[in-house]
Amino acid sequence: MKRILSFLILAGLVSSGAVAQDWSTIRLTYDEPASAWNEGLPVGNGRLGAMVYGIPGQERLALNEETLWSGGPYDPTNEGGAEALPEIRRLLFSGDVEKAHDLFGRTMMGVPYEQQKYQPFGTLWLDFPGHESFTDYARTLDMDAGQVVVRYVVDGVTYTRTTFSSAPAQVLVVRLEASESASISFDAMLQGVRNPAHSNYGTDYFRMDGLPDDTLRITGKSSDYLGIKGALTYEGRLVARAEGGTTEVDYRTLKVRDADAVTLVFAGATSFVNYRDVSGDPAKRVAATLAGVAETDYRRLAEEQMADHRALFRRVWVGAPEIGSTSTTGRRLEQLDARPDPGLFALAYQWGRYLLISSSRPGTQAANLQGIWNEDPNPSWDSKYTVNINLPMNYWPAESASLPELAGPLYALIEDVAEAGVSVAREHWGARGWVLHQNTDLWRATAPMDGPSWGAWPVGGAWLVTHLVERDRFDPNAAFLDHWYPILRGQARFLADILVEHPERGWMVTAPSNSPENFPAYPGNGRYFDETSGLFLRGRMMQAGPTMDNHVIRFVFEGFLDWADRLDRDSGMREEIAALMDRLPPNQVGRHGQLQKWLDDWEDLEPTHRHVSHLWGVYP
């Protein structure tokens, strides 16, 4: 209740405009270094990201470039998978979910069953001898500036580190300053990251080199995974610009001694061109990027980065009491249950906008499960594009938070999967149009993956095209409509082709499908050994016509009918879609007064699960 009250207070202040716009208050603050990656503070320019730990004695920056993934171009389409679909549906409608589940796993899964992993690019280490003991420590993410600032005192000297990732310059910058001259001395090392855990260990490689007299370089190749050859090469370079003192490279360690200030400039790239082409030259790309900023001093780099960032960030102001509280962000979170803090909700809103600005820019890849930040070669859920909530959720702020152009990478991904998903729609579902299931990766795999409980969900592409429909509603544009209509039409065509009549209720339903990622407590469902994944799982998810599917399909059909009518196209298909809409299952209220997740009023095996998929139609 206190959190709801905080939100209502915040909403009132936003609508009244009662709080002055002090942008310097939009920051996260901490009084100790990060002890783990998820305590670090992120910077990014949509393509190049870093997580800053802020450790005085040994600074650590986990580096990422958005196109460094395992594997290479591949097509997981399972030819002839649709031949088993009639039998899967018969088993499902007859109540034999176990056999329907297993048959789907044997016949309709993509090959391989899993997808590729987003990979870390490397780690930048900065060792500062004698800085293990310090005082007056402060670590700040200035969301308005798009910069991380670390400040502390050693032996009476104040040291300041400023880190940002510049979209105009396409480089990562670390600025080291001190309150007294000749006070900055450190060793830098640019390290690679290898995956020691997966079965293809050793198929990736990296090489760390020093280049006289001020440069570190890392080069490498991506790893094989799931039988897919690692096809990407990559390169990163760190250049030191010292003001005063000495700079040298000793093998692969950069050594700076007694400098007044130092600017470190990092550029990185891979050979990725598009999901079918990896012929790029990362060395040329990095060299061109560094040449482009060779004559740009730190002040100009910072000014251009900040101006670019603020042009997006300052479009929306959200004010509330204590938004600029002197208490650290961590302590405010700890105290939230005990006292309302509307300012923290305002910060959380701007934090979401900051992350989208930092991980998705025109011309980049879409923000993945972790944006562009990942230090683990085996990240949770592979840090892919999880379509059954996370990828769409990344872009919820794009329109309503005044960042519409940042959805461009999502639209580009939709264009790719609409192309790649044609063969999967045909071979797996016997359907026209295109399909995307619950995940995709850099290589735009669209087939079912993970196993039948998750993979048997054919409306991932439908969810993504709802973003196109909403874009049109925010800003109707004839050129946008004309360009994207074939993709919306292709998705509507696919959905119309896969809907089948429920043998008892007469409704037109998806079958098989599921309510991500919820387990219905129908009689006999429970823990079982899944032959597809080789794991014991909580239960089976497969059902026909889950509520979420009906919401998404209805939204897509409404969008198609609107667009087709405005463009005066496909009159026959319009009639077909309108007729199907009338036969979609209605919303049903269960015995607890709840909106049902499934056609039957089942309980949940896991009622506290984080996915509440059946509420798609009411949020956001």
Side-chain angles (χ1 to χ4, degrees):
M1 173 61 80
K2 290 179 180 177
R3 296 191 182 192
I4 295 173
L5 177 61
S6 294
F7 181 80
L8 293 175
I9 293 172
L10 171 61
L13 287 166
V14 171
S15 63
S16 68
V19 180
Q21 295 185 9
D22 182 0
W23 292 97
S24 68
T25 62
I26 312 300
R27 55 181 60 204
L28 307 182
T29 60
Y30 302 87
D31 58 9
E32 59 185 5
S35 61
W37 179 83
N38 62 4
E39 295 178 4
L41 295 174
V43 295
N45 62 12
R47 185 184 67 85
L48 199 62
M51 190 70 82
V52 183
Y53 282 63
I55 303 171
Q58 188 180 58
E59 179 61 285
R60 179 180 181 181
L61 282 79
L63 305 175
N64 291 102
E65 200 277 351
E66 63 171 358
T67 61
L68 184 55
W69 289 63
S70 64
Y74 72 106
D75 181 1
T77 303
N78 186 355
E79 294 185 5
E83 294 173 6
L85 189 55
E87 177 63 8
I88 293 170
R89 286 170 169 162
R90 186 192 70 77
L91 290 167
L92 184 60
F93 286 133
S94 69
D96 198 340
V97 179
E98 179 180 4
K99 290 181 180 178
H101 173 105
D102 288 348
L103 186 56
F104 187 101
R106 295 172 183 179
T107 60
M108 288 186 66
M109 294 298 297
V111 181
Y113 289 168
E114 302 291 337
Q115 295 175 357
Q116 299 302 309
K117 301 173 183 283
Y118 181 50
Q119 297 292 283
F121 195 93
T123 305
L124 174 61
W125 296 94
L126 304 175
D127 289 316
F128 295 85
H131 287 214
E132 295 78 15
S133 297
F134 52 88
T135 62
D136 303 302
Y137 181 89
R139 179 166 59 102
T140 301
L141 171 59
D142 184 340
M143 287 189 273
D144 175 54
Q147 300 179 352
V148 171
V149 179
V150 176
R151 186 171 287 110
Y152 60 93
V153 175
V154 173
D155 295 333
V157 179
T158 300
Y159 293 89
T160 304
R161 303 174 189 166
T162 304
T163 305
F164 58 84
S165 189
S166 170
Q170 287 297 300
V171 293
L172 177 75
V173 176
V174 181
R175 175 71 170 178
L176 308 172
E177 297 173 310
S179 61
E180 295 185 11
S181 61
S183 295
I184 299 178
S185 297
F186 67 93
D187 292 344
M189 181 171 287
L190 189 58
Q191 287 186 351
V193 181
R194 171 168 286 171
N195 190 339
H198 66 61
S199 59
N200 295 319
Y201 170 71
T203 62
D204 59 338
Y205 66 79
F206 57 82
R207 174 173 167 173
M208 299 150 47
D209 293 301
L211 305 176
D213 291 314
D214 58 6
T215 301
L216 299 177
R217 179 181 65 189
I218 182 171
T219 54
K221 181 192 84 70
S222 62
S223 62
D224 299 359
Y225 187 55
L226 302 171
I228 308 300
K229 293 293 184 182
L232 290 167
T233 58
Y234 61 92
E235 178 168 320
R237 293 196 185 200
L238 180 80
V239 178
R241 303 176 181 177
E243 299 169 22
T246 62
T247 302
E248 65 172 337
V249 173
D250 181 5
Y251 187 32
R252 54 193 183 196
T253 301
L254 172 70
K255 298 185 175 183
V256 176
R257 299 291 183 267
D258 304 322
D260 300 332
V262 181
T263 303
L264 301 175
V265 179
F266 175 80
T270 76
S271 60
F272 182 84
V273 177
N274 59 53
Y275 75 97
R276 293 170 298 182
D277 184 353
V278 292
S279 65
D281 188 331
K284 286 185 178 179
R285 290 173 171 176
V286 169
T289 298
L290 291 175
V293 298
E295 303 301 321
T296 308
D297 62 19
Y298 169 73
R299 180 177 177 180
R300 183 177 167 192
L301 281 170
E303 288 175 348
E304 291 179 350
Q305 174 270 330
M306 199 179 304
D308 169 80
H309 178 83
R310 285 176 171 168
L312 296 166
F313 192 79
R314 288 194 173 185
R315 291 177 182 176
V316 175
W317 169 260
V318 180
E322 299 186 358
I323 193 171
S325 170
T326 57
S327 182
T328 66
T329 304
R331 278 193 282 275
R332 294 174 72 179
L333 285 168
E334 292 171 357
Q335 298 166 1
L336 187 56
D337 283 332
R339 58 185 292 271
D341 188 350
L344 195 58
F345 283 86
L347 283 178
Y349 175 79
Q350 293 288 32
W351 169 239
R353 297 182 69 249
Y354 172 84
L355 290 174
L356 187 60
I357 292 169
S358 302
S359 62
S360 183
R361 292 292 193 99
T364 72
Q365 296 297 307
N368 66 45
L369 188 62
Q370 296 178 185
I372 53 171
W373 302 279
N374 170 39
E375 71 161 356
D376 188 348
N378 293 293
S380 298
W381 301 285
D382 302 328
S383 194
K384 299 190 296 292
Y385 300 101
T386 304
V387 182
N388 69 15
I389 181 62
N390 303 91
L391 178 58
M393 186 168 60
N394 284 348
Y395 288 91
W396 286 348
E399 301 292 347
S400 62
S402 196
L403 299 170
E405 64 268 55
L406 303 192
L410 174 64
Y411 302 158
L413 182 148
I414 293 171
E415 209 154 20
D416 286 349
V417 295
E419 179 180 70
V422 170
S423 64
V424 177
R426 180 183 65 248
E427 298 296 332
H428 290 244
W429 291 92
R432 294 164 287 179
W434 62 274
V435 64
L436 171 63
H437 294 82
Q438 96 280 19
N439 267 289
T440 190
D441 56 19
L442 183 71
W443 312 111
R444 303 317 190 228
T446 69
M449 52 85 63
D450 275 347
S453 276
W454 294 269
W457 184 67
V459 298
W463 190 344
L464 292 190
V465 299
T466 67
H467 287 256
L468 301 176
V469 176
E470 289 180 345
R471 169 89 284 262
D472 172 65
R473 291 178 178 178
F474 273 90
D475 182 21
N477 180 289
F480 181 90
L481 211 67
D482 186 67
H483 176 82
W484 291 103
Y485 177 77
I487 286 178
L488 176 60
R489 182 190 187 280
Q491 184 53 216
R493 179 70 274 160
F494 170 77
L495 296 173
D497 282 0
I498 68 166
L499 288 173
V500 293
E501 183 175 306
H502 193 287
E504 296 178 2
R505 294 176 168 90
W507 297 325
M508 299 300 291
V509 297
T510 50
S513 190
N514 65 75
S515 182
E517 299 182 1
N518 305 133
F519 304 95
Y522 58 81
N525 198 18
R527 189 172 185 267
Y528 75 104
F529 183 78
D530 177 40
E531 70 174 22
T532 303
S533 63
L535 300 171
F536 282 98
L537 300 176
R538 179 70 179 269
R540 294 177 176 86
M541 298 183 197
M542 186 177 289
Q543 289 286 292
T547 297
M548 179 183 181
D549 284 14
N550 305 324
H551 288 169
V552 175
I553 292 170
R554 188 172 285 109
F555 192 103
V556 172
F557 281 176
E558 288 173 351
F560 166 76
L561 291 174
D562 175 47
W563 286 25
D565 181 64
R566 288 155 62 190
L567 292 169
D568 194 21
R569 298 180 189 175
D570 295 305
S571 59
M573 187 173 168
R574 272 186 274 168
E575 293 179 4
E576 177 189 2
I577 296 298
L580 283 172
M581 280 186 66
D582 290 338
R583 298 186 63 191
L584 290 174
N587 291 325
Q588 298 183 90
V589 177
R591 60 186 177 277
H592 302 301
Q594 88 285 9
L595 177 64
Q596 288 183 196
K597 293 181 181 178
W598 302 282
L599 297 182
D600 294 295
D601 189 11
W602 305 123
E603 301 283 358
D604 290 87
L605 286 180
E606 195 175 4
T608 59
H609 195 281
R610 61 192 176 276
H611 281 253
V612 284
S613 303
H614 62 305
L615 299 184
W616 189 94
V618 297
Y619 185 86

